[in-house]
Amino acid sequence: MQQQIIQQTESRMKKTVEATSTKLSHVQTGRATPALLDQVSVNYYGSKNPLSQVGTITTPEPRLLVIQPWDKTLITEIEKAIALSDLGFSTNNDGNVIRIQVPELTLERRTELTKVVRKLAEEGKVAIRNIRRDANDAVKKLDGGDSSTGGGKSRGRGGDKRRGRSNADPIQQLTDTYIDKIDELVSAKESELLET
């Protein structure tokens, strides 16, 4: 049963890292990437569709996004959706494709975005710690209650017991592993942001 809790915990932590990675991919770095347009929805025959489902998005140059709609009549709708998004991009179309020149980031903007990246990372880490807490609570219930009660006097203070347990605790090991993964994502994103 404890193994099942550990597997569920790892699955939840993995999903948290994936969600954090997705959020980080939406942070503009001055480099063109189709992920920048993931949040843009286009009105197509009365329903909202993600931009990626109504056209092809490519990056032929480091600062250029090209959108080729599958239906040319959608060009105005796509431009309207991009203008309504909070991305701050201006579009240019030739009747067949839409081009977006991704502006180079100022040093001030890079600093702001670094703070955004760290905030998103901290949210991911908090989520992982909450998953750890839930898993520890589930294990305690399996063990028949709070493991720090009963027999605590013969083993010393609860803090010492917990500290000694942390190296062999699989839940803590998972927590450390997935927090490290978030740190790696942040480090890569910050490097991307600071590139000129």
Side-chain angles (χ1 to χ4, degrees):
M1 192 67 166
Q2 189 170 350
Q3 192 58 39
Q4 187 178 358
I5 292 168
I6 291 168
Q7 287 171 346
Q8 289 170 346
T9 300
E10 183 167 22
S11 173
R12 289 177 63 199
M13 287 182 178
K14 201 175 283 186
K15 286 177 186 167
T16 299
V17 169
E18 288 167 6
T20 302
S21 177
T22 301
K23 287 177 186 174
L24 289 173
S25 73
H26 295 139
V27 175
Q28 182 185 345
T29 60
R31 186 171 266 184
T33 170
L36 291 173
L37 301 172
D38 280 354
Q39 303 303 314
V40 177
S41 292
V42 180
N43 198 2
Y44 186 52
Y45 290 113
S47 66
K48 292 277 188 187
N49 291 283
L51 181 54
S52 60
Q53 291 184 5
V54 296
T56 305
I57 305 167
T58 56
T59 54
E61 295 173 23
R63 296 198 195 290
L64 181 67
L65 285 167
V66 176
I67 305 158
Q68 183 160 15
W70 296 321
D71 180 351
K72 304 264 186 271
T73 61
L74 277 179
I75 284 186
T76 21
E77 281 298 326
I78 292 171
E79 285 187 310
K80 193 185 302 180
I82 292 168
L84 290 173
S85 74
D86 61 355
L87 295 170
F89 291 147
S90 56
T91 58
N92 181 7
N93 87 69
D94 63 7
N96 292 316
V97 297
I98 297 170
R99 288 180 179 80
I100 299 172
Q101 193 69 39
V102 178
E104 194 166 334
L105 298 175
T106 63
L107 185 60
E108 182 181 320
R109 183 70 178 136
R110 289 175 197 269
T111 306
E112 286 173 26
L113 290 173
T114 300
K115 290 176 187 171
V116 169
V117 165
R118 289 182 182 158
K119 180 177 177 281
L120 291 171
E122 191 53 39
E123 288 170 5
K125 290 178 183 182
V126 166
I128 285 177
R129 290 183 195 114
N130 288 338
I131 294 166
R132 174 188 62 193
R133 185 197 60 225
D134 293 347
N136 283 334
D137 289 348
V139 168
K140 283 179 188 176
K141 283 181 186 172
L142 271 182
D143 291 344
D146 191 338
S147 59
S148 65
T149 60
K153 290 178 183 173
S154 63
R155 293 185 176 164
R157 295 187 320 245
D160 293 339
K161 181 179 167 192
R162 178 176 284 156
R163 210 173 303 125
R165 218 182 58 189
S166 66
N167 290 340
D169 183 2
I171 294 170
Q172 184 59 48
Q173 288 174 344
L174 284 175
T175 303
D176 294 343
T177 298
Y178 285 95
I179 282 181
D180 286 348
K181 287 181 190 244
I182 288 179
D183 285 338
E184 288 167 16
L185 290 172
V186 169
S187 180
K189 193 67 175 186
E190 284 180 346
S191 297
E192 212 178 312
L193 272 170
L194 297 173
E195 279 177 14
T196 53

